[in-house]
Amino acid sequence: KAYNTLVIIMAVLLSFLEFLVGTLLHFLYDFFPYPFIAIFSATNESVFEHLKLFVYPMLLGYLWIYIFKDIDIKKYMKAMFYGLLSGLLSLLFIYYFVRYGLGIESLVFDILLLLTSIIVGNSLSYYVYFHVDTSSWIIYVVAFVLLMILLVLGTFYPLDIPLFQEEKAVETLLQSLME
């Protein structure tokens, strides 16, 4: 029981550190506007760019755990992929539901959403690592690599869809569709 409590405390601390890194990444490109920095940092206020504020701090957390803990890499790759996927999906679904379903726009909400998504991702990673079979783990490595490629491509070659557009552009698009 003491071990489980320690694991939970470490997971909460890691989630908080990932949240702080994500918050710092939000402003990094403003101070260092270089293409390499754009891969990791938000370059505008689109939803896509904010997904990077979730993904890269999570990857740093996963790397830290991998370096300092004796873990099964097959289980870890699967857990890492599910953690990233669940966090990304929760971030997207909750954001669009609150912003466009309920019509709420709030900086406090945006900040709490990042923290919530990190906690969701870390929680599911933990669950998958300890409770899910590791068969077919290589597919998760491939899916992870594809996700990273998509993040980089989306940064430099964004599609002309609302996910990649800043809020004002999305609102203009929605207003024109309503008319």
Side-chain angles (χ1 to χ4, degrees):
K1 181 165 172 133
Y3 176 76
N4 287 339
T5 303
L6 180 62
V7 168
I8 291 169
I9 290 169
M10 293 303 292
V12 169
L13 287 174
L14 182 61
S15 294
F16 184 71
L17 288 173
E18 291 166 343
F19 170 72
L20 290 177
V21 170
T23 302
L24 292 174
L25 285 178
H26 188 279
F27 304 103
L28 187 63
Y29 187 77
D30 293 337
F31 294 109
F32 304 103
Y34 303 108
F36 177 75
I37 300 297
I39 294 171
F40 306 100
S41 181
T43 59
N44 63 46
E45 291 298 317
S46 71
V47 174
F48 173 80
E49 291 294 327
H50 284 77
L51 295 178
K52 295 189 290 186
L53 305 181
F54 164 79
V55 170
Y56 292 113
M58 291 287 287
L59 289 178
L60 286 174
Y62 290 136
L63 181 63
W64 183 77
I65 291 170
Y66 179 73
I67 290 170
F68 294 106
K69 296 291 286 176
D70 181 29
I71 59 170
D72 179 342
I73 189 65
K74 293 178 183 179
K75 291 170 69 174
Y76 200 61
M77 289 304 297
K78 193 172 203 175
M80 184 175 69
F81 177 76
Y82 277 112
L84 287 172
L85 184 63
S86 65
L88 284 171
L89 291 176
S90 67
L91 195 149
L92 287 170
F93 289 144
I94 294 169
Y95 174 79
Y96 280 112
F97 174 73
V98 170
R99 177 71 179 97
Y100 296 106
L102 301 177
I104 298 171
E105 183 177 5
S106 164
L107 178 61
V108 172
F109 166 75
D110 292 345
I111 292 168
L112 292 176
L113 178 58
L114 176 60
L115 182 59
T116 301
S117 299
I118 288 170
I119 291 169
V120 166
N122 282 338
S123 298
L124 190 64
S125 288
Y126 175 82
Y127 179 82
V128 168
Y129 185 81
F130 288 105
H131 299 95
V132 176
D133 179 32
T134 59
S135 60
S136 305
W137 70 277
I138 198 71
I139 190 118
Y140 298 100
V141 174
V142 172
F144 168 75
V145 170
L146 287 174
L147 174 64
M148 295 299 101
I149 290 170
L150 289 173
L151 280 174
V152 172
L153 288 175
T155 297
F156 297 109
Y157 306 103
L159 300 175
D160 191 23
I161 60 174
L163 178 68
F164 294 92
Q165 298 169 353
E166 294 195 57
E167 277 301 307
K168 291 180 174 111
V170 174
E171 289 174 8
T172 304
L173 173 68
L174 288 175
Q175 287 174 350
S176 68
L177 292 174
M178 298 285 229
E179 295 175 351

